[in-house]
Amino acid sequence: MQQRGMTRELMCMRAGQELLDKGYTYVNLGIGIPTLLPEFVPQEAEIMFHGENGVLGLGRVVEESEWDFDLSNASGEPVTTVPGVSYFDSSLAFAMLRGSHVEASVVGAYEVSEKGDLANWQGPGIRTGSPGGSLDIAVGVKHVIAIMMHTTDEGKPRIVKQCSLAITAKGVISTIITNLAVMDVTSQGLILREVAQGITAGEVQVVTEPKLIVSEQLKEIAL
Amino acid sequence: MQQRGMTRELMCMRAGQELLDKGYTYVNLGIGIPTLLPEFVPQEAEIMFHGENGVLGLGRVVEESEWDFDLSNASGEPVTTVPGVSYFDSSLAFAMLRGSHVEASVVGAYEVSEKGDLANWQGPGIRTGSPGGSLDIAVGVKHVIAIMMHTTDEGKPRIVKQCSLAITAKGVISTIITNLAVMDVTSQGLILREVAQGITAGEVQVVTEPKLIVSEQLKEIAL
Amino acid sequence: MINKIYSSIDEASYDIHDGSSVMIGGFGGIGSPHNLVQAMSGKARELTLICGSIGAIMALKDVSCIKRLISGYVSTLLAVKEEWARMAKMIDEGEIGVELVPFGNFVERIRTGGSGIPAFYTPVGAATIFGKDKETRIFEGRECFLERALRADFALIRAHKADRMGNLAYRKTARNYNPIMAMAADVTIVQADEIVEVGELEPDCTHTPGIFVDRVVHVEPALTKFARVRKRT
Amino acid sequence: MINKIYSSIDEASYDIHDGSSVMIGGFGGIGSPHNLVQAMSGKARELTLICGSIGAIMALKDVSCIKRLISGYVSTLLAVKEEWARMAKMIDEGEIGVELVPFGNFVERIRTGGSGIPAFYTPVGAATIFGKDKETRIFEGRECFLERALRADFALIRAHKADRMGNLAYRKTARNYNPIMAMAADVTIVQADEIVEVGELEPDCTHTPGIFVDRVVHVEPALTKFARVRKRT
């Protein structure tokens, strides 16, 4: 099924705005879609992107033909770096996350619950899994933003009352950015803050399991 | 009281021989007398001396006038370094000791018991103390050699049945080198292996609290 | 004279034997000692392999030598390589036992293993299956559980530059788990892109001091350029 | 633009207040931020100072600002400086409380404090007064005890080179506790010998990435050359 709303690139662009709005300097990018993000944030903003593979100062993804085989982002993709970049071992890379030095993280997710529970290490029907650094991020980083498709390819909600998949951590997601909407996790419940161009609050609710609280300031995502 | 037997320099020379005989490559030098030792080992032997202050490849002590203020041994003295030297932080410096990567250590001591108990972090009548890295060495390093004056300035034995001072660790000293003798700590007791020039086994026993087992191969220290 | 240089991979890894536990450096294959891994195939069986992700062992020709895998990233990669369909099957059938460990706990277990620290408490994975059946304890209101140090018989790692004393320097993100694993094995074997004279490595930038290294073998860097393991899905 | 450079020591350390806990880098005074320490005297009292040895605080003009000392090396140095007779007296009279910690446990407590690890077991000091009244436990036949992570309000450290982003490089044995303490304080203040442009520090040899650093102040290296603290006795 063709998904409506924003592309991955637009979702990354919207996530970039969120980082700029909050004024963050040190932001981790989880494995998957988030590693595309540096392309969509002006370099003058000097957000230092952290890769759990041991780098602070990630730039944009480049062509494989330009690849320096000793350099990648956490997704294993060839990248550039920004001035002031530093490299370090995995012990320090995870100390930065677990020790709450990184201010924010943008992660991919299979499911997020209305309480902010995150499931992103074990896909459906998988016997093993790929926790990677996702649990370190979830536990150590204060502001964790999930960037995800609003539904499965089959149209099943991925923003749910309770995660059906094994969770990464409880109550850690503060902000959800999907192809359809931007939502905040609050003690009152999920607040629908923004909708993608041409998408209505009602349409978002239909593909969302928990009841959404529509913000009085609801607006269309402007990029 | 003028102490008989070997000077500190000769004791270090004898300790250096011990290291060469055993074929050690990685040897820690504790704070105090031991940091004089590199001068007395040929550089070709390539013993890499470890300083708990974060250096592997210590050389000899130099004049203060030649001092690079960013470089010292664990005693805080100006030193040279050898080819292949590396510097690291304190976390790694102590991981090398606690993790048993360093093969041997030469330490100073206030007292050593016949069972190899070591007391070297708290002098007599002291309220606080200076454990420094002495406990890390004692716990992590397999062959710990004590280098010490055989008696106090007042002539009181420092090789004792039981330590009167607070101990650093139990049963950790394997070899004792004093101004008067070389002794091995064994399950049978202290074996007197060598005596300093002009010193008899009987003279050593007089200033030693536990009963010494005189080795059948007892010989004079040859430097 | 200290000389840890071996003239061939076979000589440097001659004693990896059936039942060995082997740590392998690299993150998603970047910085992995692919040639050492390749040579291990067929030489020893019943191996316990300890690696961040299975990208580190993509050069393994025959996965049936694996008995047990301690790793933080497995499932997502199983579809990437054809040979790994077999690994997936062996995992499903229980022929390969998998202990999944989140990366941060994984690296800290190895670091403590190399540092003489037997165990530590971690908040990462508490109240998930990663903390299941482990001793839990609250520290400052936060649930944690006890993790144990991890060591291995061998560590296979890759460095950019090495000297005969075993001093190592890594390059960019190829550093990752390599310097930590170098500390935690009885025998650490290094595949180095370049051998330099003693004194050429900057003493302030020698990432792994030679004390942690047992054997070094030179492998032309061109040979380390295995295909990228992961495509964006 | 990220700019962590402060134009004076006073500005960089304006908020160290009565009752603060302060980590101070350096080993026997080598690599210590002597000028930051000097400036702290008289500005705040009732301080908890956390330093490897008291050599790190030899620039402190008035020791009466110390309420508590967490350190691994105290007694041997008390006779070295005249002013320290007063410190010795305050310690003896209980006016300064001293928590002695062996160096390896000391640095590991700080490292875990900066790494989100709340506690760990150590064999160092077991069956001595350092393990007294602590939770003991046997791991692989070896007695260990539980040590807790250590953090502070401020860390004062010295680096050789720094850039405006807070990236740091140290020189020779002046590195020691500095990069570890940089991780474990709410506010890390750096005294740097030299300020360099962003990009001048080698990314593979940036010992402390800027993420751990809050403020940087340039101090001419000549001023860091305090007298050597220890004479061979």
Side-chain angles (χ1 to χ4, degrees), chain B residues 82-123:
Chain B
V82 302
V85 63
S86 58
Y87 304 107
F88 32 86
D89 66 39
S90 303
S91 168
L92 205 61
F94 289 99
M96 288 179 189
L97 295 170
R98 199 198 303 104
S100 299
H101 300 281
V102 170
E103 296 165 282
S105 178
V106 183
V107 300
Y110 294 124
E111 289 180 341
V112 175
S113 84
E114 62 182 325
K115 293 210 160 69
D117 297 352
L118 168 67
N120 73 343
W121 71 268
Q122 187 181 46

Tab-separated table of all heavy atoms in Angstrom, chain B residues 82-123:
chain	number	residue	atom	x	y	z
B	82	VAL	N	61.016	6.022	26.769
B	82	VAL	CA	61.706	5.157	25.813
B	82	VAL	C	60.908	5.098	24.510
B	82	VAL	O	59.722	5.441	24.492
B	82	VAL	CB	61.897	3.737	26.392
B	82	VAL	CG1	62.696	3.800	27.700
B	82	VAL	CG2	60.566	3.042	26.584
B	83	PRO	N	61.550	4.660	23.414
B	83	PRO	CA	60.799	4.526	22.157
B	83	PRO	C	59.610	3.574	22.337
B	83	PRO	O	59.743	2.541	22.997
B	83	PRO	CB	61.834	3.931	21.195
B	83	PRO	CG	63.159	4.358	21.744
B	83	PRO	CD	62.983	4.345	23.238
B	84	GLY	N	58.478	3.942	21.761
B	84	GLY	CA	57.275	3.121	21.909
B	84	GLY	C	56.418	3.520	23.095
B	84	GLY	O	55.411	2.887	23.380
B	85	VAL	N	56.822	4.590	23.762
B	85	VAL	CA	56.049	5.075	24.914
B	85	VAL	C	54.635	5.457	24.483
B	85	VAL	O	54.426	5.907	23.356
B	85	VAL	CB	56.755	6.300	25.555
B	85	VAL	CG1	56.825	7.476	24.592
B	85	VAL	CG2	56.058	6.719	26.850
B	86	SER	N	53.676	5.244	25.378
B	86	SER	CA	52.321	5.741	25.138
B	86	SER	C	51.771	6.347	26.424
B	86	SER	O	52.174	5.962	27.521
B	86	SER	CB	51.405	4.636	24.613
B	86	SER	OG	51.361	3.557	25.512
B	87	TYR	N	50.843	7.284	26.252
B	87	TYR	CA	50.185	7.949	27.372
B	87	TYR	C	48.694	7.636	27.315
B	87	TYR	O	48.129	7.459	26.242
B	87	TYR	CB	50.392	9.459	27.292
B	87	TYR	CG	51.837	9.857	27.230
B	87	TYR	CD1	52.400	10.334	26.047
B	87	TYR	CD2	52.658	9.728	28.347
B	87	TYR	CE1	53.742	10.684	25.980
B	87	TYR	CE2	54.001	10.074	28.293
B	87	TYR	CZ	54.538	10.553	27.108
B	87	TYR	OH	55.857	10.881	27.047
B	88	PHE	N	48.073	7.563	28.477
B	88	PHE	CA	46.642	7.227	28.520
B	88	PHE	C	46.047	7.808	29.797
B	88	PHE	O	46.779	8.273	30.684
B	88	PHE	CB	46.450	5.706	28.461
B	88	PHE	CG	47.559	4.931	29.114
B	88	PHE	CD1	47.535	4.679	30.465
B	88	PHE	CD2	48.662	4.505	28.372
B	88	PHE	CE1	48.579	3.995	31.072
B	88	PHE	CE2	49.724	3.817	28.973
B	88	PHE	CZ	49.674	3.564	30.335
B	89	ASP	N	44.706	7.758	29.880
B	89	ASP	CA	44.050	8.331	31.048
B	89	ASP	C	44.111	7.361	32.232
B	89	ASP	O	44.512	6.210	32.090
B	89	ASP	CB	42.616	8.747	30.705
B	89	ASP	CG	41.718	7.561	30.380
B	89	ASP	OD1	41.822	6.510	31.037
B	89	ASP	OD2	40.887	7.697	29.455
B	90	SER	N	43.700	7.861	33.394
B	90	SER	CA	43.813	7.077	34.626
B	90	SER	C	42.923	5.838	34.604
B	90	SER	O	43.246	4.832	35.245
B	90	SER	CB	43.434	7.940	35.826
B	90	SER	OG	44.248	9.091	35.869
B	91	SER	N	41.831	5.917	33.890
B	91	SER	CA	40.943	4.768	33.805
B	91	SER	C	41.678	3.582	33.170
B	91	SER	O	41.648	2.458	33.677
B	91	SER	CB	39.715	5.171	32.989
B	91	SER	OG	38.965	4.058	32.647
B	92	LEU	N	42.368	3.853	32.078
B	92	LEU	CA	43.122	2.793	31.404
B	92	LEU	C	44.357	2.413	32.224
B	92	LEU	O	44.727	1.233	32.286
B	92	LEU	CB	43.534	3.262	30.001
B	92	LEU	CG	43.767	2.155	28.975
B	92	LEU	CD1	42.513	1.339	28.744
B	92	LEU	CD2	44.257	2.725	27.649
B	93	ALA	N	44.982	3.390	32.866
B	93	ALA	CA	46.179	3.112	33.670
B	93	ALA	C	45.864	2.080	34.755
B	93	ALA	O	46.669	1.164	34.999
B	93	ALA	CB	46.693	4.399	34.301
B	94	PHE	N	44.713	2.219	35.397
B	94	PHE	CA	44.371	1.290	36.474
B	94	PHE	C	43.737	0.005	35.948
B	94	PHE	O	43.832	-1.025	36.599
B	94	PHE	CB	43.537	1.990	37.552
B	94	PHE	CG	44.384	2.964	38.321
B	94	PHE	CD1	44.369	4.308	38.022
B	94	PHE	CD2	45.284	2.509	39.274
B	94	PHE	CE1	45.206	5.199	38.673
B	94	PHE	CE2	46.133	3.381	39.940
B	94	PHE	CZ	46.097	4.740	39.637
B	95	ALA	N	43.120	0.068	34.776
B	95	ALA	CA	42.630	-1.166	34.142
B	95	ALA	C	43.816	-2.088	33.845
B	95	ALA	O	43.717	-3.301	33.953
B	95	ALA	CB	41.859	-0.844	32.866
B	96	MET	N	44.953	-1.504	33.483
B	96	MET	CA	46.146	-2.311	33.207
B	96	MET	C	46.621	-3.059	34.450
B	96	MET	O	47.110	-4.176	34.356
B	96	MET	CB	47.286	-1.416	32.710
B	96	MET	CG	47.074	-0.894	31.297
B	96	MET	SD	48.457	0.173	30.810
B	96	MET	CE	47.799	0.835	29.268
B	97	LEU	N	46.442	-2.433	35.614
B	97	LEU	CA	46.856	-3.069	36.867
B	97	LEU	C	45.786	-4.043	37.355
B	97	LEU	O	46.036	-5.232	37.503
B	97	LEU	CB	47.110	-2.002	37.941
B	97	LEU	CG	48.284	-1.051	37.664
B	97	LEU	CD1	48.286	0.104	38.647
B	97	LEU	CD2	49.612	-1.817	37.733
B	98	ARG	N	44.583	-3.531	37.561
B	98	ARG	CA	43.497	-4.340	38.127
B	98	ARG	C	43.164	-5.520	37.228
B	98	ARG	O	42.852	-6.602	37.692
B	98	ARG	CB	42.263	-3.448	38.333
B	98	ARG	CG	41.262	-3.984	39.288
B	98	ARG	CD	39.916	-3.318	39.133
B	98	ARG	NE	39.889	-1.889	39.262
B	98	ARG	CZ	39.780	-1.044	38.225
B	98	ARG	NH1	39.688	-1.494	36.981
B	98	ARG	NH2	39.734	0.254	38.422
B	99	GLY	N	43.296	-5.300	35.923
B	99	GLY	CA	42.982	-6.340	34.943
B	99	GLY	C	44.137	-7.299	34.675
B	99	GLY	O	44.061	-8.107	33.747
B	100	SER	N	45.197	-7.187	35.454
B	100	SER	CA	46.331	-8.141	35.373
B	100	SER	C	47.037	-8.142	34.024
B	100	SER	O	47.531	-9.169	33.573
B	100	SER	CB	45.870	-9.566	35.722
B	100	SER	OG	45.363	-9.602	37.034
B	101	HIS	N	47.108	-7.002	33.390
B	101	HIS	CA	47.869	-6.893	32.151
B	101	HIS	C	49.353	-6.658	32.443
B	101	HIS	O	50.214	-7.095	31.693
B	101	HIS	CB	47.309	-5.760	31.295
B	101	HIS	CG	45.878	-5.968	30.932
B	101	HIS	ND1	45.483	-6.823	29.918
B	101	HIS	CD2	44.738	-5.475	31.469
B	101	HIS	CE1	44.168	-6.824	29.853
B	101	HIS	NE2	43.691	-6.021	30.778
B	102	VAL	N	49.616	-5.955	33.531
B	102	VAL	CA	50.996	-5.716	33.951
B	102	VAL	C	51.507	-6.997	34.614
B	102	VAL	O	50.817	-7.576	35.446
B	102	VAL	CB	51.041	-4.510	34.925
B	102	VAL	CG1	52.406	-4.383	35.563
B	102	VAL	CG2	50.660	-3.224	34.194
B	103	GLU	N	52.693	-7.435	34.196
B	103	GLU	CA	53.185	-8.733	34.683
B	103	GLU	C	53.786	-8.684	36.079
B	103	GLU	O	53.712	-9.652	36.844
B	103	GLU	CB	54.258	-9.255	33.724
B	103	GLU	CG	53.747	-9.551	32.333
B	103	GLU	CD	54.895	-9.709	31.362
B	103	GLU	OE1	55.475	-8.667	30.938
B	103	GLU	OE2	55.238	-10.862	31.035
B	104	ALA	N	54.441	-7.598	36.377
B	104	ALA	CA	55.134	-7.510	37.660
B	104	ALA	C	55.115	-6.070	38.136
B	104	ALA	O	54.911	-5.140	37.347
B	104	ALA	CB	56.569	-7.998	37.512
B	105	SER	N	55.325	-5.899	39.421
B	105	SER	CA	55.411	-4.549	39.963
B	105	SER	C	56.470	-4.521	41.044
B	105	SER	O	56.653	-5.502	41.773
B	105	SER	CB	54.055	-4.124	40.539
B	105	SER	OG	54.148	-2.826	41.097
B	106	VAL	N	57.181	-3.422	41.104
B	106	VAL	CA	58.142	-3.210	42.186
B	106	VAL	C	57.580	-2.103	43.050
B	106	VAL	O	57.305	-1.001	42.550
B	106	VAL	CB	59.528	-2.817	41.628
B	106	VAL	CG1	60.531	-2.682	42.767
B	106	VAL	CG2	60.003	-3.829	40.587
B	107	VAL	N	57.356	-2.417	44.334
B	107	VAL	CA	56.712	-1.436	45.208
B	107	VAL	C	57.556	-1.175	46.435
B	107	VAL	O	58.365	-2.008	46.856
B	107	VAL	CB	55.307	-1.927	45.658
B	107	VAL	CG1	54.404	-2.150	44.453
B	107	VAL	CG2	55.408	-3.181	46.510
B	108	GLY	N	57.368	-0.031	47.019
B	108	GLY	CA	57.943	0.253	48.321
B	108	GLY	C	57.065	-0.364	49.393
B	108	GLY	O	55.928	-0.762	49.118
B	109	ALA	N	57.583	-0.504	50.610
B	109	ALA	CA	56.786	-1.110	51.674
B	109	ALA	C	57.238	-0.596	53.035
B	109	ALA	O	58.414	-0.332	53.246
B	109	ALA	CB	56.905	-2.627	51.626
B	110	TYR	N	56.265	-0.422	53.932
B	110	TYR	CA	56.602	-0.146	55.331
B	110	TYR	C	56.894	-1.464	56.040
B	110	TYR	O	57.840	-1.588	56.786
B	110	TYR	CB	55.442	0.555	56.036
B	110	TYR	CG	55.129	1.941	55.518
B	110	TYR	CD1	53.855	2.249	55.062
B	110	TYR	CD2	56.108	2.932	55.503
B	110	TYR	CE1	53.550	3.532	54.610
B	110	TYR	CE2	55.813	4.211	55.045
B	110	TYR	CZ	54.533	4.503	54.593
B	110	TYR	OH	54.233	5.759	54.137
B	111	GLU	N	56.045	-2.448	55.780
B	111	GLU	CA	56.188	-3.771	56.396
B	111	GLU	C	55.753	-4.845	55.409
B	111	GLU	O	54.832	-4.629	54.628
B	111	GLU	CB	55.273	-3.897	57.632
B	111	GLU	CG	55.690	-3.091	58.828
B	111	GLU	CD	54.720	-3.275	60.008
B	111	GLU	OE1	53.564	-3.726	59.795
B	111	GLU	OE2	55.119	-2.965	61.125
B	112	VAL	N	56.400	-5.996	55.509
B	112	VAL	CA	55.933	-7.187	54.789
B	112	VAL	C	55.942	-8.335	55.795
B	112	VAL	O	56.880	-8.473	56.580
B	112	VAL	CB	56.850	-7.535	53.596
B	112	VAL	CG1	56.416	-8.844	52.947
B	112	VAL	CG2	56.838	-6.415	52.561
B	113	SER	N	54.881	-9.136	55.779
B	113	SER	CA	54.821	-10.254	56.720
B	113	SER	C	55.401	-11.507	56.078
B	113	SER	O	55.590	-11.566	54.864
B	113	SER	CB	53.373	-10.519	57.149
B	113	SER	OG	52.738	-11.340	56.185
B	114	GLU	N	55.645	-12.496	56.894
B	114	GLU	CA	56.223	-13.738	56.369
B	114	GLU	C	55.274	-14.442	55.396
B	114	GLU	O	55.686	-15.279	54.609
B	114	GLU	CB	56.640	-14.683	57.503
B	114	GLU	CG	55.496	-15.153	58.390
B	114	GLU	CD	55.991	-16.061	59.525
B	114	GLU	OE1	56.950	-16.833	59.302
B	114	GLU	OE2	55.423	-16.004	60.630
B	115	LYS	N	54.010	-14.099	55.470
B	115	LYS	CA	53.033	-14.676	54.532
B	115	LYS	C	52.886	-13.821	53.274
B	115	LYS	O	52.073	-14.101	52.404
B	115	LYS	CB	51.670	-14.809	55.213
B	115	LYS	CG	51.654	-15.828	56.333
B	115	LYS	CD	50.277	-16.456	56.461
B	115	LYS	CE	50.301	-17.775	57.186
B	115	LYS	NZ	50.610	-17.632	58.627
B	116	GLY	N	53.654	-12.731	53.202
B	116	GLY	CA	53.575	-11.884	52.021
B	116	GLY	C	52.539	-10.773	52.130
B	116	GLY	O	52.269	-10.071	51.149
B	117	ASP	N	51.960	-10.614	53.312
B	117	ASP	CA	51.051	-9.468	53.501
B	117	ASP	C	51.866	-8.185	53.346
B	117	ASP	O	53.007	-8.100	53.811
B	117	ASP	CB	50.427	-9.480	54.908
B	117	ASP	CG	49.561	-10.710	55.143
B	117	ASP	OD1	49.323	-11.474	54.182
B	117	ASP	OD2	49.140	-10.915	56.295
B	118	LEU	N	51.255	-7.227	52.707
B	118	LEU	CA	51.944	-5.964	52.422
B	118	LEU	C	51.275	-4.815	53.170
B	118	LEU	O	50.052	-4.700	53.173
B	118	LEU	CB	51.890	-5.698	50.910
B	118	LEU	CG	52.303	-4.308	50.406
B	118	LEU	CD1	53.794	-4.061	50.625
B	118	LEU	CD2	51.953	-4.157	48.919
B	119	ALA	N	52.093	-3.967	53.782
B	119	ALA	CA	51.577	-2.720	54.372
B	119	ALA	C	52.380	-1.589	53.762
B	119	ALA	O	53.570	-1.452	54.048
B	119	ALA	CB	51.719	-2.745	55.895
B	120	ASN	N	51.751	-0.819	52.893
B	120	ASN	CA	52.497	0.291	52.284
B	120	ASN	C	51.658	1.516	51.973
B	120	ASN	O	52.081	2.353	51.191
B	120	ASN	CB	53.254	-0.180	51.031
B	120	ASN	CG	52.360	-0.443	49.833
B	120	ASN	OD1	51.152	-0.584	49.969
B	120	ASN	ND2	52.949	-0.503	48.654
B	121	TRP	N	50.489	1.624	52.592
B	121	TRP	CA	49.697	2.806	52.260
B	121	TRP	C	49.515	3.768	53.424
B	121	TRP	O	49.133	4.916	53.234
B	121	TRP	CB	48.342	2.423	51.677
B	121	TRP	CG	47.367	1.823	52.652
B	121	TRP	CD1	47.188	0.500	52.916
B	121	TRP	CD2	46.459	2.527	53.493
B	121	TRP	NE1	46.228	0.330	53.874
B	121	TRP	CE2	45.753	1.559	54.236
B	121	TRP	CE3	46.163	3.878	53.698
B	121	TRP	CZ2	44.775	1.900	55.180
B	121	TRP	CZ3	45.183	4.223	54.627
B	121	TRP	CH2	44.503	3.224	55.356
B	122	GLN	N	49.802	3.299	54.629
B	122	GLN	CA	49.571	4.154	55.785
B	122	GLN	C	50.719	4.013	56.763
B	122	GLN	O	50.909	2.952	57.362
B	122	GLN	CB	48.254	3.784	56.467
B	122	GLN	CG	47.848	4.744	57.574
B	122	GLN	CD	46.545	4.333	58.234
B	122	GLN	OE1	46.351	3.161	58.565
B	122	GLN	NE2	45.661	5.292	58.441
B	123	GLY	N	51.498	5.064	56.910
B	123	GLY	CA	52.643	5.036	57.811
B	123	GLY	C	52.200	4.989	59.261
B	123	GLY	O	51.025	5.193	59.569
